[in-house]
């Protein structure tokens, strides 16, 4: 695993956030914030050094945002959650570009691969509990009954980030011309369930 200083120096995923900080602060303050974020990133990874590879797939996504948010929040920035939410949204929209091309060319294969998600990504080893729902061949639907995102964020004192991670799925899969995506629930509490549903559109969107 890369050290935090290398990760954030080489990673373009936080460029928007860095630009926001640069506008509001002098260069020394901005650098101090990123140094703190890198240290928090390293400390957080140290907590989970012995977890399995299935959970690490999700931690690689969660921990950078957790580190950024915790440092900005502890630095008394009242817009910390807003800044992290905006950066996460921008990254999700950017990553959607791959799904646009893939789903437009092969919508049937896209649905078929979505059906594999409970066994390849939302797995029991990663801390998920899922139930695949019956649906037509043009659809894919599954229910998530337990999610490690709530547990990890709560352990790190920032359960409010769960909604941001949940919303990112909507930004990632929203408005695909040939694929409709619906998500009900956010798993912000242990009692809540979350349903994912993908389907081939009867009418193709023009975007």
């Amino acid at each position: 695993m890369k050290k935090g200083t290398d990760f954030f120096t080489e990673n373009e995923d936080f460029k928007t956030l860095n630009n926001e900080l640069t506008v509001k602060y002098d260069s020394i303050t901005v650098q101090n914030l990123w140094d703190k974020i890198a240290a928090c990133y390293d400390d957080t990874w140290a907590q989970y050094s012995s977890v399995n590879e299935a959970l690490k797939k999700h931690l690689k996504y969660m921990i950078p945002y957790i580190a950024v948010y915790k440092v900005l929040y502890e630095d008394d920035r009242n817009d910390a959650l807003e800044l992290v939410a905006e950066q996460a949204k921008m990254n999700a929209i950017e990553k959607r570009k791959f799904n646009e091309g893939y789903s437009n060319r092969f919508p049937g294969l896209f649905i078929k691969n979505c059906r594999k998600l409970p066994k390849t990504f939302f797995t029991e080893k990663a801390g998920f509990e899922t139930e695949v729902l019956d649906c037509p061949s043009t659809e894919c639907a599954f229910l998530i009954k337990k999610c490690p995102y709530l547990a990890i964020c709560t352990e790190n004192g920032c359960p409010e980030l769960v909604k941001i991670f949940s919303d990112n799925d909507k930004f990632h899969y929203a408005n695909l011309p040939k694929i409709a995506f619906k998500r009900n629930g956010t798993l912000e509490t242990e009692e809540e369930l979350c349903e994912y549903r993908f389907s081939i559109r009867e009418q193709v969107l023009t975007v």
Side-chain angles (χ1 to χ4, degrees), residues 9 18-19 72 82 104 115 128 139 164 171 201 204 207:
T9 298
N18 185 65
N19 291 340
L72 294 183
E82 179 184 341
N104 287 349
R115 291 199 189 101
F128 289 90
E139 295 183 11
I164 291 177
F171 300 134
R201 293 185 184 276
V204 175
V207 294

Side-chain angles (χ1 to χ4, degrees), residues 58-87:
H58 296 273
L59 290 175
K60 287 177 181 178
Y61 173 56
M62 281 189 275
I63 287 180
Y65 290 108
I66 289 173
V68 168
Y69 177 67
K70 287 178 70 173
V71 169
L72 294 183
Y73 182 82
E74 291 168 4
D75 198 56
D76 294 326
R77 290 191 54 88
N78 56 17
D79 59 347
L81 191 62
E82 179 184 341
L83 287 171
V84 173
E86 181 61 25
Q87 181 64 80

Side-chain angles (χ1 to χ4, degrees), residues 91-106 109-110 113 171-173 176-177 179:
N91 291 343
I93 291 173
E94 181 65 26
K95 289 178 173 61
R96 188 177 67 201
K97 293 178 181 178
F98 170 78
N99 281 327
E100 287 178 349
Y102 169 43
S103 63
N104 287 349
R105 288 188 296 166
F106 310 108
L109 184 59
F110 183 89
N113 285 333
F171 300 134
H172 197 166
Y173 295 112
L176 296 176
I179 301 293

Side-chain angles (χ1 to χ4, degrees), residues 21 28 35 43-44 84 87 89 96 104 133 138 140 170:
L21 296 177
I28 294 177
D35 288 345
D43 291 343
T44 307
V84 173
Q87 181 64 80
K89 177 181 178 180
R96 188 177 67 201
N104 287 349
L133 304 176
T138 56
C140 162
K170 300 174 185 177

Side-chain angles (χ1 to χ4, degrees), residues 144-147 149-151 154 159 162-163 166 185-194:
I144 293 184
K145 300 178 177 180
K146 182 181 177 182
C147 173
Y149 283 68
L150 176 60
T154 301
V162 175
K163 186 177 187 306
S166 297
T186 60
L187 286 172
E188 292 181 68
T189 67
E190 292 183 357
E191 293 78 22
E192 190 174 3
L193 301 179
C194 179

